[in-house]
Amino acid sequence: MTTETQRNEAPDSSDSSVTFINVFEIDAAELDEFVAKWEQRALLMRDKPGFIDSRMHRARSSSSRFQLVNVSHWVSQEAWEAATADPDFASRTQAAREQTKQPITPNPGVYDVVVELTAH
């Protein structure tokens, strides 16, 4: 199999698409309940302007440090910021952290693609 590599420079435009990634440190016993509530919060984002897609990934091993990884795509940083500023979303996110038996540590960030590999 061959691959094609594309290297992207830092974005020069505020309207370039962005990837939001949030990795969660969470006790494996709390995963199912957290994912169900995450899906409810994610449904709020789906109808926001600029939303492209979102996927939650679950570790196959319960010993993985990050049990959950959320990857979402937005048309721009501004669209993501506007969506996450929604008071309903913010209150549900805070409640999700407070309603667990064990602490949940989110590690969010907005990223740009700098290297892309595709198969041909």
Side-chain angles (χ1 to χ4, degrees):
M1 173 166 48
T2 62
T3 61
E4 179 181 316
T5 302
Q6 180 179 3
R7 191 171 280 263
N8 298 321
E9 298 299 319
D12 57 4
S13 167
S14 63
D15 63 358
S16 62
S17 66
V18 296
T19 301
F20 171 74
I21 301 173
N22 197 356
V23 295
F24 295 90
E25 293 180 79
I26 179 174
D27 187 273
E30 305 228 26
L31 285 173
D32 292 334
E33 184 177 348
F34 182 84
V35 168
K37 290 180 180 177
W38 177 89
E39 188 173 7
Q40 293 172 358
R41 291 187 307 278
L43 289 172
L44 291 174
M45 296 289 102
R46 182 176 59 185
D47 296 328
K48 299 289 184 191
F51 175 83
I52 298 172
D53 63 20
S54 185
R55 291 184 176 162
M56 178 65 86
H57 304 263
R58 183 177 183 158
R60 288 190 168 189
S61 169
S62 62
S63 64
S64 294
R65 177 178 176 190
F66 301 114
Q67 287 295 303
L68 297 170
V69 177
N70 169 230
V71 179
S72 301
H73 297 100
W74 292 83
V75 297
S76 69
Q77 172 99 26
E78 293 76 12
W80 175 81
E81 289 172 354
T84 57
D86 179 312
D88 188 28
F89 176 76
S91 67
R92 288 185 191 204
T93 299
Q94 183 63 32
R97 279 189 231 134
E98 294 171 353
Q99 293 173 352
T100 59
K101 296 174 189 95
Q102 300 294 321
I104 294 174
T105 305
N107 299 276
V110 177
Y111 298 85
D112 296 306
V113 175
V114 294
V115 176
E116 184 173 341
L117 296 171
T118 57
H120 13 228

